[in-house]
Amino acid sequence: MSMIARIRAGERLSPHHYTLDEGQWHEMIALAPGWFIAHWCDDLRAYALFLDQETPLVVSTPLIDGRYFALSAALPCASWPERIAQDLWGCLPLGAIDNEPALDRGGWASIAPLSARSVPAPVSADHTPSPSLFAQSVHGDMAPFMWGRGKIMPGAAHVGLMHRLKGCMPEEALRLISRSNGSAFVAAPLAYSRAIENALGIIPDDATRDARTILLEIERIVVHCRDIAQMAQLTGFALLATHASLAEDLCAGLCAHHGASRRLTDMITPQGIAAGVDICGLAHAIHDALMPRLPVIEGLHFQMAETLEGLGTIPPACAQALCLGGLVGRASGRSFDLRQLEDDMRHVPGRAGSRLGGDGWARQCLRLDEIRDSLRRIDRIAANFGVPLPSPAADTSGSGEGIGAVEGPHGDIWCWVRLKESRLDGIMLRDPALATLGSLPALMHDVWEDRLVLASLGFDPAGAEQ
């Protein structure tokens, strides 16, 4: 029996949520691993999200005196989420492979701040990080990230987003989530919106679906251009950095010209997208403006091959063990792309495919492939905007629990929500940076090139530490 089969044998709480008692949960951990997506806790239960083929499954178990059996005993990729849950909720994972604090480096005002059992933290004289540690902001708008002595030390980018969301009205939370990650101003609120709609049994109309998809693909293009520019700047390829930055700026200007915000903030709304956006005009304008510029960027990009080959290599076996998705996973041989689950033949999602190199060069090449494919996709969607598409039967039960997922520029973003009396009673928002975090210790060597590795991965500590 596999983990997935054991989950499905449990008690069903909602269309995609099963519960196991302590013994059943312990039994599940010993079985053949499933495709792990996320893990989180609250004061009463420990949760995990898996993917069964194309179906997401949530499994939970009651905490016994604040303890539960650790998933990391069988799934090392669950270690960082366990450590984060321990910092935020005070939940103790029994048998965990690592119990060291993940976010709380000793400077928080309270212990387990999200828990009803939270108490003030002991006063300590100094929590200043060791000066031997490196601190780096890969992008100008990214929170600092620290590593050194063979250890990754998150915490500096943690802003307590989950604490701020608890008890919010859904539309109030949307604005906070929309601004939580500079690389996912569209993807993160869209994953959240899909979770809310799933919880309420709402199916967006065809025009809303297409408008959101166009915005999502434009964001993918913009973020990929930004990452390419950053890589070029760090490696001294100034001309490529200029062309990629100009492409990003051009997209921003076209967004503003067609009624959107320059960085696509607040474009996802409870009604679908923000009012006043000429979405089809924007799609065609982006396509027509960037397609002629791609050959120049691609030609300059090939000069970086020698610099990026072998940089930050994640072998296919490691990517599979860490359940890496997104561009990072696809550059290491994995084919997973949430867009492949969409029944939209106007463009075959994931056409850029995957690569086997697993290094900085494979990731850079894949970014350019995906930019071209995204341009094709938005042009074809705009040309057949709002057409009905065949789709599998959706859950419209309005169970009060929902799951939403989006393939963002840096990978798959997942959201789980539970509503009670029209407010958020529980929420999990998993950014792909949290999955990537597990790969960093093997790649970072306390040298300048570490900054290049982070840029190559598109790693954003704010996404990992929400």
Side-chain angles (χ1 to χ4, degrees):
M1 181 182 286
S2 66
M3 283 186 176
I4 298 299
R6 188 67 197 84
I7 292 170
R8 289 193 176 278
E11 179 186 355
R12 193 177 188 186
L13 298 182
S14 71
H16 300 293
H17 184 177
Y18 295 80
T19 182
L20 304 177
D21 64 26
E22 183 181 42
Q24 294 167 335
W25 177 275
H26 197 201
E27 177 187 342
M28 176 196 72
I29 294 172
L31 298 174
W35 186 305
F36 173 79
I37 299 293
H39 167 54
W40 68 101
C41 293
D42 58 25
D43 260 345
L44 301 177
R45 307 182 75 86
Y47 303 81
L49 175 62
F50 291 89
L51 193 62
D52 177 18
Q53 301 294 327
E54 300 178 358
T55 304
L57 291 178
V58 173
V59 59
S60 66
T61 189
L63 298 177
I64 308 298
D65 295 327
R67 299 188 295 268
Y68 67 102
F69 288 108
L71 286 166
S72 63
L75 294 166
C77 47
S79 179
W80 279 104
E82 282 175 354
R83 293 166 60 188
I84 290 172
Q86 183 172 316
D87 283 356
L88 296 178
W89 293 94
C91 306
L92 179 62
L94 300 175
I97 60 175
D98 192 345
N99 288 113
E100 184 178 351
L103 304 178
D104 184 0
R105 312 311 305 182
W108 286 6
S110 58
I111 296 173
L114 297 190
S115 174
R117 301 183 297 272
S118 178
V119 295
V123 177
S124 181
D126 183 21
H127 302 292
T128 304
S130 167
S132 64
L133 295 170
F134 294 88
Q136 172 65 14
S137 178
V138 178
H139 297 307
D141 56 357
M142 181 189 292
F145 177 64
M146 302 181 63
W147 71 93
R149 299 175 181 172
K151 288 189 176 183
I152 306 299
M153 298 185 67
H158 182 69
V159 295
L161 177 64
M162 295 299 105
H163 178 67
R164 298 172 67 188
L165 296 177
K166 183 71 182 294
C168 282
M169 298 287 288
E171 57 273 19
E172 295 172 343
L174 178 61
R175 181 171 176 81
L176 292 173
I177 291 171
S178 295
R179 297 168 177 272
S180 65
N181 190 325
S183 300
F185 286 143
V186 175
L190 181 52
Y192 168 77
S193 296
R194 287 177 174 175
I196 292 292
E197 288 160 358
N198 183 234
L200 298 176
I202 297 172
I203 301 178
D205 61 32
D206 296 317
T208 295
R209 176 205 63 216
D210 283 357
R212 289 171 165 181
T213 300
I214 288 171
L215 290 174
L216 186 64
E217 294 302 325
I218 293 173
E219 178 174 70
R220 190 182 322 280
I221 294 165
V222 168
V223 172
H224 283 348
C225 286
R226 189 186 312 159
D227 288 341
I228 290 170
Q230 182 68 27
M231 291 287 290
Q233 183 179 358
L234 287 171
T235 51
F237 292 90
L239 188 56
L240 174 58
T242 298
H243 276 278
S245 294
L246 287 174
E248 179 189 355
D249 289 343
L250 178 58
C251 287
L254 290 171
C255 287
H257 180 73
H258 288 82
S261 55
R262 288 181 59 87
R263 298 193 67 185
L264 299 181
T265 51
D266 300 322
M267 290 297 98
I268 302 298
T269 70
Q271 292 73 37
I273 70 167
V277 179
D278 176 13
I279 193 67
C280 291
L282 173 59
H284 290 309
I286 293 283
H287 174 272
D288 294 346
L290 261 65
M291 268 298 188
R293 288 168 169 77
L294 268 188
V296 176
I297 295 176
E298 289 169 338
L300 293 170
H301 141 86
F302 280 104
Q303 300 174 13
M304 300 180 68
E306 186 175 350
T307 304
L308 300 184
E309 286 176 345
L311 175 78
T313 301
I314 302 176
C318 179
Q320 182 170 349
L322 294 173
C323 293
L324 294 181
L327 182 140
V328 173
R330 290 191 289 277
S332 296
R334 306 200 84 189
S335 61
F336 179 68
D337 187 325
L338 281 172
R339 292 173 294 173
Q340 293 169 335
L341 306 185
E342 301 173 10
D343 196 358
D344 186 349
M345 299 310 294
R346 291 167 296 182
H347 174 75
V348 180
R351 185 175 177 180
S354 58
R355 293 175 177 258
L356 295 175
D359 57 5
W361 179 240
R363 293 187 283 272
Q364 185 84 330
C365 290
L366 204 51
R367 284 188 176 97
L368 279 167
D369 292 343
E370 292 195 354
I371 289 173
R372 184 174 291 277
D373 283 352
S374 290
L375 287 172
R376 291 192 185 111
R377 190 179 197 206
I378 62 174
D379 190 54
R380 293 178 183 177
I381 290 175
N384 297 276
F385 188 80
V387 300
L389 295 176
S391 59
D395 167 45
T396 57
S397 62
S399 65
E401 276 195 29
I403 302 172
V406 166
E407 185 69 29
H410 287 157
D412 46 320
I413 297 177
W414 293 82
C415 185
W416 169 86
V417 297
R418 182 177 60 226
L419 300 175
K420 184 177 181 180
E421 297 178 355
S422 300
R423 292 184 178 271
L424 287 175
D425 183 54
I427 181 169
M428 179 280 301
L429 185 64
R430 188 284 234 161
D431 187 89
L434 183 56
T436 306
L437 193 59
S439 68
L440 296 186
L443 304 179
M444 312 290 278
H445 304 292
D446 298 355
V447 293
W448 182 91
E449 286 76 9
D450 289 351
R451 293 160 171 77
L452 193 55
V453 172
L454 291 175
S456 169
L457 295 169
F459 180 76
D460 187 341
E465 302 179 27
Q466 298 180 67

